[in-house]
Amino acid sequence: MKIVLALISFLIVLLLLSSCKTTVTESVPQSTQSEWLKNLACDFPCWGKITPQLTDFNKVTSILREENIPITFENEKEISFQFQSNISGSVQRATNGTVDNIILIVVDQKTRLDDIVQVIGQPEKVSIVRDLYGNTCNVVMLFEKKGTILEFSLENHSDNPNTATDCQVDINMNSQVFRVIFIGNKINDSEFWRNASYSDLDYMEWKGYGKYP
C-alpha cells in the first residue's frame, strides 16, 4: 500500500512540474534593412573604392574582384555587378577614361531615406514629377555636395493630378529609396548629369521632411 501511495505521489509531482514548465520560444532574427550602408569602404560619392570622375574605368574590374563583388557583365563602356545578393548595379565609363557614374538598385534592401541622410547629411534640392502610368509621383533628390542622386516613388495626394506638375507628396524619413546614383562631387563635369534628363528637371530647395511642393 505504501508503494502505491508513493507511486501516486511521484506522478502528482511530475504533473505539477510539467504544468509549471516555462515554454521558451526562440526569437527569429529580423532581416537587417539597409545592410549595404554598413561598413562602407569609402565616403559618398565613392562606393566600393570606386569614385566617379576620379577612378580609372580600366581598374574597376580588379577593384570589384578585390572586394569580392561578382561581375555579371562587362564591355568597354559598362560593367554590371551583383552585390549582397539583392543589389544590382553598374559602373559606366566617361569619354576621358574615368568612371562616369555608379548606379545601385536597392529596392529589395528596403532602404529608408533617413538611413542615407544619416550617412551623408541633408540634400540640397528635390524634384517631383508625376508618373504618367499611375497615381504616384517620382521623386529625384539631389545631394550636390556629395555628388549623389536618390530616386523613389510616392503616392500623389494632389486633388487634380492631370499634368506632370500636379504633384503633392509627403516626403518622410521612411520613404523607400529604390535607386542610388553616384556622379561625383563636380556634378557639372558629370556626363551622366549633362546628358541624362536629370539636369533638365525643375528643382526646388529642400526644406526638410514634409509635404511638397
Side-chain angles (χ1 to χ4, degrees), residues 126 204-213:
V126 60
M204 65 189 82
E205 296 297 318
W206 171 250
K207 59 182 181 182
Y209 295 125
K211 296 186 182 300
Y212 286 80

Side-chain angles (χ1 to χ4, degrees), residues 6-197:
L7 182 59
I8 292 173
S9 298
F10 178 70
L11 291 173
I12 291 173
V13 171
L14 285 179
L15 288 172
L16 289 172
L17 288 173
S18 62
S19 64
C20 295
K21 183 179 179 181
T22 301
T23 302
V24 178
T25 303
E26 293 186 2
S27 60
V28 179
Q30 299 294 319
S31 58
T32 304
Q33 296 183 346
S34 301
E35 189 70 28
W36 68 280
L37 285 169
K38 297 182 178 181
N39 302 318
L40 293 170
C42 51
D43 296 331
F44 287 19
C46 172
W47 179 84
K49 299 182 180 179
I50 302 169
T51 305
Q53 302 183 29
L54 294 178
T55 302
D56 187 337
F57 182 81
N58 292 328
K59 295 181 179 180
V60 170
T61 297
S62 61
I63 293 173
L64 291 174
R65 287 173 177 167
E66 288 173 2
E67 296 297 307
N68 296 315
I69 300 174
I71 295 172
T72 58
F73 169 82
E74 64 178 307
N75 60 24
E76 67 279 3
K77 294 184 179 180
E78 182 176 347
I79 298 172
S80 299
F81 57 85
Q82 190 70 34
F83 179 65
Q84 289 186 358
S85 76
N86 60 1
I87 294 179
S88 59
S90 64
V91 181
Q92 295 183 333
R93 182 183 185 275
T95 54
N96 65 2
T98 62
V99 169
D100 183 56
N101 63 79
I102 307 169
I103 298 176
L104 297 181
I105 307 299
V106 298
V107 61
D108 290 333
Q109 279 270 334
K110 299 186 183 303
T111 300
R112 301 184 318 136
L113 173 58
D114 200 58
D115 293 335
I116 298 180
V117 169
Q118 292 298 322
V119 173
I120 65 174
Q122 300 286 326
E124 288 83 23
K125 296 179 180 179
V126 60
S127 178
I128 305 169
V129 180
R130 188 172 71 86
D131 184 351
L132 298 178
Y133 303 100
N135 190 35
T136 58
C137 295
N138 297 321
V139 181
V140 175
M141 187 166 286
L142 179 62
F143 297 75
E144 291 180 292
K145 296 177 182 178
K146 292 295 184 178
T148 302
I149 299 170
L150 303 184
E151 288 186 89
F152 48 98
S153 181
L154 295 174
E155 182 181 355
N156 187 4
H157 297 291
S158 173
D159 294 331
N160 186 28
N162 293 323
T163 69
T165 58
D166 286 332
C167 264
Q168 185 176 40
V169 297
D170 182 15
I171 301 178
N172 59 68
M173 63 175 59
N174 293 315
S175 298
Q176 300 285 304
V177 177
F178 68 79
R179 188 156 83 150
V180 183
I181 306 170
F182 306 98
I183 58 177
N185 287 324
K186 299 178 180 179
I187 64 171
N188 291 324
D189 290 344
S190 166
E191 294 177 12
F192 180 88
W193 174 258
R194 296 198 308 266
N195 298 334
S197 59

